[in-house]
Amino acid sequence: MTRETARAKAKELVSKMTVEEKASQLRFDAPAIPRLNVPAYNWWNEALHGVARADTATVFPQAIAMAAMFDEDKMQEIGEVIATEGRAKYNAYSAQGDRDIYKGLTFWSPNVNIFRDPRWGRGHETYGEDPYLTSRLGVRFVKGVQGDGEVMKAAACAKHFAVHSGPEALRHEFDAVASKKDMYETYLPAFEALVKEAKVESVMGAYNRTNGEPCCGSQALLVDILRGEWGFEGHVVSDCWAIRDFHENHKVTPGPQHSAAMALEAGCDCNCGCTYRSIMDGIRSGLIDEAYVTASCERLFTTRCLLGLFDGSEYDDIPYEAVECKEHVDLALNVARKSAVLLKNNGILPLKREELGTIGVVGPNANSRIPLYGNYYGTSSRYITVLEGIQDEVGENVRVLYSEGCHLYKDRVEGLGMADDRISEAVTVAEHSDLTIVVLGLDENLEGEEMDQSNGVGSGDKENLLLPAPQRRLLQAIIDTGKPFVVILMAGSAIDLSVAQEHADAILQAWYPGARGGKAIADLLFGNCSPSGKLPVTFYYNTDHMPPFTDYSMKGRTYRYMDEEALYPFGYGLTYGKTAVTAASLKAAPTAESDIILNVTVQNTGTRDTEEVIQVYIKDLDSPLAVKNYSLCGFRRVALAAGEAKTTELTIANKAMTVVDEEGKRSVQGKHFVLYAGISQPDSRSVALCGTRPAEVRFAL
């Protein structure tokens, strides 16, 4: 069904509604209109890394983990699976008349905000700090969710528009001030790509203000940019109770009627919250023009028509048995393997069973299900923790000892115990083991959305990059044993791992790896497959040199603008192979109007098969408007057998050569450029850690 056809159907249906009925349909929990055969519909559903919050679903690794794959094709496949399971659940539930929250086909995902500051608690919901990577992954995820059938398989939503990345504690009153250059260079490109390339059906406004205007009522964002510059044709939804913030926290309107009027006039069609219950009062008082209500209602019903919710669709026969089927679970397990990032390895990995009589597994995340979840998660029928994954892998041939070691963040596990009441147990395990796996990190209780109560500093944000104090003491106690150990970090953001980097034999960043994450980690530890993930964020040593959290200028932030050396740079990650880019060349001389075609040869001279991610960065050598360092402009995941070399062709979009001026205008200004093609950034820290330098290709326009 074309949008024109859906729009005509919607317009005809809405024309038959009373103003009261139209107003009621702008709520997230839109009621039925029996006389028009319109069933109730709840717009609120989540699918960040699997269908969330409504019974069983395949639970994929968290979004930041999926980003670490640097794999566009896999992102689209994940989106397709999510839409299939969403349809299966919708078909089953609606057949029983169940149209409750989290059971519709409008998924408020993906989150394409830029993870600009490692303290932000919701950063693990994103695809990282780079606008190009975020754009490419977001576009393919949306295409997977929405499909290319006769009707839309499910509707995706780009959120949170725009310039939203903390602080969580201030989000209901905060004004994120960003220059036009930073807006168009960093904060807006992913949203633009999802609108123009992926035709994302929905956009969600953010809680905060941006440059003085509440995002869900912003003329600049919603009218001028989204629908004006970009030609967005879908619907806009508010973040939940964000419109209420207009009068209660931002103080830009005197009350609910004025807030509803501001949002409607900006084109915010669906209210997640309660403020649009004031629409009829606003119409009666003359504050709200019915024409805005009609326009929003038509846009919302256009989406429902595109989903085939009135005329049926090719997806109506997807059975409930598709939910968490073996094929989908296997995909999630594969994603967990590909997303883990090997940060250090002195040769101890992969582990050799024949050399191990006893393995110790310690740490607060070793046998906890919570770090498998991430946030905005569904419910798996089975979870495999790290401890369970290792036990299953070694079977009866290797003894596995276990100790929790410490609480995730409290100074004791037992309320009546002494401080550090589990550390002696962990030390005992280490002393009686040939090798200890130390599983540390965070979970959604320590980093996440506002109101994560166990975090005492900032409503889900982090105060600094340190592990919680009990975990630091546990790590030091294991170091003091002098026995070999491997650190598994389960967290969704940058952590100061400098102590582990100095003392551990190996470090594996496992993120929040999904329901079967423990099996994936065991597969990696024992060499059933090679780690191949890359960091989608910079791991800083600390935040001492970073701008204040509330400063939205990009100066000094992320790999593109930072001044200091990173602990682990963006794009970094080791494998069990020995890989390097051995050659790179241009297929033809680039022009200012053309894309760049680059041939890249990558080789694995090691003895183990692996996958590797070719990364291409570009630097404008002339323009003072260019980003300080360089920018990712191309990537491709390739499989390499031991001893194998492959040559692949990458297309670098013409946009990579452009710069953004202070007015937000993008153009090609430089004449001389350099491309770096490698398995990492070209910075000295990456080169030292990887042991190989990217190939350089210089060209002039």
Side-chain angles (χ1 to χ4, degrees):
M1 181 184 299
T2 65
R3 182 169 294 276
E4 289 71 24
T5 300
R7 186 182 291 121
K9 286 178 175 288
K11 191 177 184 69
E12 180 184 6
L13 181 58
V14 171
S15 70
K16 300 173 183 177
M17 296 180 188
T18 66
V19 64
E20 291 85 0
E21 288 170 336
K22 287 185 288 187
S24 74
Q25 297 300 300
L26 273 54
R27 294 161 23 197
F28 77 92
D29 52 347
I33 307 176
R35 70 180 187 86
L36 297 176
N37 295 316
V38 173
Y41 185 76
N42 198 301
W43 292 85
W44 189 341
N45 206 348
E46 308 281 358
L48 187 63
H49 53 115
V51 183
R53 294 180 174 173
D55 202 32
T56 307
T58 301
V59 180
F60 289 91
Q62 178 62 298
I64 195 72
M66 296 194 294
M69 293 190 297
F70 280 62
D71 192 333
E72 294 177 86
D73 292 342
K74 199 62 68 178
M75 289 300 297
Q76 184 158 340
E77 189 177 354
I78 292 165
E80 290 169 355
V81 166
I82 289 171
T84 295
E85 294 199 1
R87 275 283 177 174
K89 291 155 78 75
Y90 175 80
N91 293 343
Y93 302 150
S94 61
Q96 299 186 50
D98 183 355
R99 300 180 183 277
D100 202 357
I101 190 170
Y102 309 131
K103 296 178 180 179
L105 292 170
T106 40
F107 295 131
W108 292 348
S109 304
N111 182 342
V112 290
N113 291 128
I114 297 300
F115 196 176
R116 67 181 179 98
D117 191 298
R119 291 166 285 200
W120 187 33
R122 297 188 73 181
H124 56 100
E125 298 178 24
T126 77
Y127 299 139
E129 70 184 41
D130 181 70
Y132 177 78
L133 179 66
T134 299
S135 299
R136 295 305 93 212
L137 300 182
V139 163
R140 295 294 291 276
F141 181 83
V142 169
K143 287 185 174 182
V145 168
Q146 297 190 170
D148 57 2
E150 183 65 25
V151 302
M152 191 177 291
K153 194 172 184 181
C157 175
K159 67 182 187 184
H160 309 83
F161 191 62
V163 198
H164 173 71
S165 52
E168 283 294 298
L170 302 177
R171 66 184 187 174
H172 298 287
E173 61 194 58
F174 182 68
D175 185 14
V177 177
S179 69
K180 287 185 177 180
K181 180 174 175 62
D182 282 339
M183 290 278 283
Y184 283 89
E185 192 170 78
T186 298
Y187 292 118
L188 296 183
F191 288 98
E192 182 178 8
L194 267 60
V195 168
K196 289 184 174 180
E197 297 179 47
K199 307 300 181 184
V200 69
E201 183 61 19
S202 177
V203 170
M204 176 182 282
Y207 283 112
N208 53 277
R209 280 170 286 152
T210 293
N211 296 328
E213 288 187 302
C215 292
C216 294
S218 170
Q219 290 287 317
L221 290 174
L222 301 182
V223 178
D224 299 340
I225 296 174
L226 183 63
R227 297 197 189 276
E229 290 181 28
W230 300 345
F232 176 65
E233 295 185 303
H235 70 269
V236 173
V237 60
S238 75
D239 209 337
C240 296
W241 283 265
I243 298 175
R244 184 176 67 186
D245 286 338
F246 292 8
H247 52 276
E248 289 192 357
N249 296 301
H250 294 303
K251 307 292 187 183
V252 298
T253 58
Q257 293 178 38
H258 291 81
S259 296
M262 172 181 270
L264 285 167
E265 289 172 15
C268 186
D269 305 305
C270 181
N271 177 205
C272 181
C274 55
T275 308
Y276 277 10
R277 293 179 183 272
S278 301
I279 286 176
M280 289 310 302
D281 290 338
I283 289 175
R284 285 189 284 266
S285 67
L287 277 173
I288 295 175
D289 187 333
E290 184 182 344
Y292 291 111
V293 176
T294 301
S296 286
C297 197
E298 289 175 354
R299 284 193 285 262
L300 292 174
F301 273 89
T302 297
T303 298
R304 291 175 71 170
C305 289
L306 285 169
L307 288 167
L309 300 188
F310 299 110
D311 300 324
S313 78
E314 62 199 271
Y315 306 117
D316 292 351
D317 294 327
I318 294 177
Y320 186 75
E321 284 73 17
V323 175
E324 208 192 23
C325 63
K326 184 180 186 302
E327 179 186 358
H328 296 174
V329 171
D330 288 347
L331 175 62
L333 179 60
N334 190 28
V335 171
R337 295 185 187 112
K338 291 175 183 287
S339 64
V341 183
L342 184 60
L343 298 175
K344 179 185 178 181
N345 185 19
N346 67 3
I348 198 170
L349 296 180
L351 300 177
K352 301 173 182 62
R353 291 174 186 77
E354 63 274 11
E355 297 178 4
L356 297 169
T358 303
I359 296 176
V361 181
V362 305
N365 275 345
N367 199 34
S368 173
R369 287 184 171 187
I370 300 175
L372 303 178
Y373 302 162
N375 69 349
Y376 285 89
Y377 52 83
T379 301
S380 177
S381 62
R382 186 187 179 199
Y383 296 91
I384 302 176
T385 67
V386 176
L387 174 63
E388 292 166 340
I390 292 171
Q391 290 170 329
D392 291 346
E393 178 64 28
V394 300
E396 299 296 323
N397 298 323
V398 179
R399 179 98 187 260
V400 179
L401 304 178
Y402 166 69
S403 170
E404 186 176 358
C406 67
H407 191 276
L408 192 70
Y409 58 92
K410 296 178 182 178
D411 69 351
R412 66 203 71 194
V413 173
E414 292 291 341
L416 297 177
M418 299 175 65
D420 295 335
D421 56 344
R422 292 288 182 266
I423 285 185
S424 67
E425 300 168 9
V427 169
T428 300
V429 165
E431 288 176 340
H432 288 80
S433 301
D434 300 309
L435 169 81
T436 303
I437 309 296
V438 186
V439 192
L440 306 174
L442 310 173
D443 64 25
E444 66 162 348
N445 293 304
L446 289 181
E447 61 173 349
E449 195 165 1
E450 178 193 33
M451 299 305 291
D452 288 327
Q453 294 297 328
S454 60
N455 182 348
V457 291
S459 299
D461 295 328
K462 297 186 300 187
E463 186 176 27
N464 53 50
L465 304 187
L466 295 172
L467 283 167
Q471 296 189 51
R472 301 200 301 272
R473 294 193 293 270
L474 170 63
L475 178 60
Q476 188 59 53
I478 299 300
I479 292 170
D480 291 344
T481 67
K483 302 292 289 289
F485 71 98
V486 173
V487 169
I488 307 293
L489 183 71
M490 301 176 78
S493 57
I495 299 290
D496 177 2
L497 292 175
S498 52
V499 173
Q501 173 66 22
E502 181 179 355
H503 296 284
D505 294 281
I507 305 171
L508 184 70
Q509 170 70 25
W511 312 104
Y512 300 133
R516 309 300 202 276
K519 175 170 173 48
I521 292 167
D523 284 337
L524 294 167
L525 290 176
F526 287 91
N528 299 335
C529 53
S530 170
S532 57
K534 303 290 183 179
L535 291 180
V537 290
T538 300
F539 272 44
Y540 305 86
Y541 283 97
N542 52 54
T543 58
D544 293 351
H545 302 290
M546 295 197 72
F549 195 2
T550 52
D551 181 356
Y552 267 69
S553 167
M554 288 305 299
K555 184 178 180 181
R557 298 186 187 279
T558 76
Y559 79 94
R560 298 201 299 164
Y561 308 97
M562 63 189 294
D563 299 309
E564 71 278 9
E565 184 180 78
L567 173 61
Y568 303 120
F570 173 94
Y572 167 65
L574 302 172
T575 73
Y576 292 156
K578 187 177 181 183
T579 59
V581 167
T582 57
S585 60
L586 294 171
K587 188 173 183 179
T591 69
E593 293 78 29
S594 68
D595 293 338
I596 303 166
I597 309 299
L598 188 69
N599 288 315
V600 179
T601 301
V602 60
Q603 186 172 13
N604 177 15
T605 58
T607 59
R608 288 185 171 272
D609 299 350
T610 189
E611 292 188 4
E612 183 55 271
V613 178
I614 299 170
Q615 302 168 50
V616 182
Y617 297 82
I618 191 168
K619 184 173 180 62
D620 183 328
L621 300 175
D622 299 327
S623 177
L625 296 171
V627 300
K628 179 181 183 296
N629 298 320
Y630 33 74
S631 297
L632 182 72
C633 60
F635 59 89
R636 178 162 300 158
R637 176 175 278 265
V638 294
L640 294 167
E644 184 180 16
K646 284 184 179 178
T647 299
T648 186
E649 184 177 282
L650 284 84
T651 299
I652 311 301
N654 164 269
K655 185 178 180 180
M657 294 183 285
T658 63
V659 295
V660 178
D661 66 20
E662 298 303 328
E663 294 303 311
K665 304 300 182 185
R666 186 179 288 275
S667 63
V668 177
Q669 292 199 357
K671 297 293 184 183
H672 301 88
F673 298 84
V674 58
L675 294 170
Y676 303 94
I679 60 171
S680 73
Q681 286 187 60
D683 66 293
S684 59
R685 177 65 173 164
S686 294
V687 170
L689 289 168
C690 294
T692 179
R693 187 179 301 278
E696 293 187 17
V697 178
R698 294 175 181 266
F699 67 92
L701 298 179

